[in-house]
Amino acid sequence: MADGFSIPGAMTAIGIAAPGGPEALVPERRPVPMPGEGEVLIKVAAAGVNRPDVLQRQGKYPPPPGASDIPGLEVAGTIVAAGGGADLLVGQKVCALLAGGGYAEYAVAPAGQCLPVPDGYDLAEAAALPETLFTVWTNMFERAYVAGGDTVLVHGGTSGIGTMAISLCRLFNIRIIVTCGSAEKCAQAREWGADHAIDYKTQDYVAEVKRITGGQGVQAVLDMVGGDYVPRNLECLAEDGRHVSIAVLGGAKASVFIPAIMQRRLTITGSTLRARSVGFKSLVADELIRNVWPFVGEGRLRPAMDRRFALADAAQAHARMDAGAHFGKIVLTV
């Protein structure tokens, strides 16, 4: 129920007219969603733009059952209404992880997937935190269980995932090697805090990782490429190393030499986040509150911000992401 907030019956949201390019994203009028039990309604100030949104726009990544068909997996704003069990949150400024529906003036989120935005923290920056933060935390720190003193390899060093991984590694005393597609992007990644950046177009990243680590290899690889990168990534791992797949932008199939995995005791794992249960995501939010959110409150964890676009200009935001020239997060403002 609302608590002193005036909530309209309709809102502007970004729909997908038909699978295709950025022009498929069009503003349209939709009913304002209402929160159910344990959910909150957020008056959106900003929404993050992520690669899964692009795949959804292209018709390659449909929303999970029950999720909004409006793209957008993370928002920040003010809670203006709540369902049963979440009334005390009304009026709070939060950022939230969603299964969909973020590209809109209002969005519904499970209360357990909301994180409080500290006073003075830019809401556009807050909107750029949840998707990459949940993803990097669950895959690098939980599935690959990296710890202080480890060295990791992360592909896509200037992406939202890559820049978040760099930030978290700096906070937790982990050495990070990233790959990027140009000398300019390598320089940006190093400036953001990467210990080493490899231009995969001009350098053999396997050889470079071995050189950087003195032949020892890295404790973990966070990979969003897949395909023929997987066997090469395994060559980069130290004994007992962990390989975590989070996307397959370069191909869904890989050929690996199983005896080497056995001999070196390697672990190959991976995950997706969007379709995981509210219970799981809420547990992750609790972990982030305990382990990461103090850094947010101190202003020591901020996302790398690329450009901000008005909600109505979502097509332009996706065109920028498609071009691959961005550094860090693209955000829509409402």
Side-chain angles (χ1 to χ4, degrees), residues 204-290:
D204 179 348
Y205 75 80
V206 176
E208 283 299 299
V209 167
K210 290 180 178 179
R211 180 188 65 79
I212 291 167
T213 62
Q216 296 301 305
V218 298
Q219 279 67 53
V221 175
L222 186 64
D223 178 52
M224 62 186 76
V225 182
D228 62 4
Y229 265 50
V230 175
R232 297 170 66 197
N233 292 341
L234 297 183
E235 291 186 59
C236 295
L237 287 173
E239 291 191 350
D240 296 297
R242 288 82 67 189
H243 182 282
V244 187
S245 296
I246 60 171
V248 289
L249 299 176
K253 295 183 179 181
S255 178
V256 299
F257 187 60
I258 296 174
I261 296 172
M262 298 163 59
Q263 292 161 5
R264 297 167 57 212
R265 303 175 303 281
L266 305 181
T267 298
I268 300 177
T269 185
S271 75
T272 59
L273 180 62
R274 188 178 188 182
R276 296 297 295 269
S277 69
V278 171
F280 171 80
K281 295 175 187 175
S282 298
L283 288 174
V284 176
D286 289 341
E287 289 186 10
L288 294 174
I289 287 289
R290 293 194 305 271

Side-chain angles (χ1 to χ4, degrees), residues 14-196:
I14 301 299
I16 300 173
E23 69 281 355
L25 299 176
V26 292
E28 57 188 37
R29 297 296 288 173
R30 293 281 193 102
V32 172
M34 294 310 296
E37 186 76 15
E39 294 180 332
V40 298
L41 178 67
I42 300 171
K43 189 178 190 306
V44 177
V49 176
N50 293 283
R51 186 64 60 181
D53 305 340
V54 172
L55 296 176
Q56 180 176 338
R57 185 201 79 214
Q58 295 171 340
K60 300 176 182 178
Y61 191 32
S68 171
D69 65 330
I70 298 169
L73 303 178
E74 59 185 349
V75 299
T78 303
I79 295 176
V80 294
D87 300 75
L88 294 179
L89 297 177
V90 174
Q92 291 191 17
K93 286 184 171 57
V94 297
C95 58
L97 183 72
L98 313 176
Y103 290 12
E105 293 179 313
Y106 291 86
V108 165
Q113 293 173 205
C114 295
L115 299 166
V117 177
D119 290 340
Y121 204 97
D122 182 358
L123 284 174
E125 292 189 21
L129 286 173
E131 171 67 11
T132 56
L133 183 53
F134 275 72
T135 298
V136 174
W137 183 262
T138 56
N139 288 286
M140 198 161 72
F141 289 83
E142 291 183 349
R143 303 197 71 81
Y145 49 92
V146 299
D150 284 349
T151 301
V152 300
L153 170 65
V154 176
H155 294 295
T158 58
S159 67
I161 293 290
T163 52
M164 177 58 71
I166 292 169
S167 295
L168 289 177
C169 284
R170 287 182 61 82
L171 291 172
F172 290 95
N173 191 33
I174 297 161
R175 188 165 67 150
I176 182 169
I177 305 168
V178 301
T179 64
C180 306
S182 68
E184 178 185 4
K185 287 202 167 192
C186 284
Q188 289 176 316
R190 285 190 294 267
E191 184 177 355
W192 188 250
D195 295 284
H196 301 275

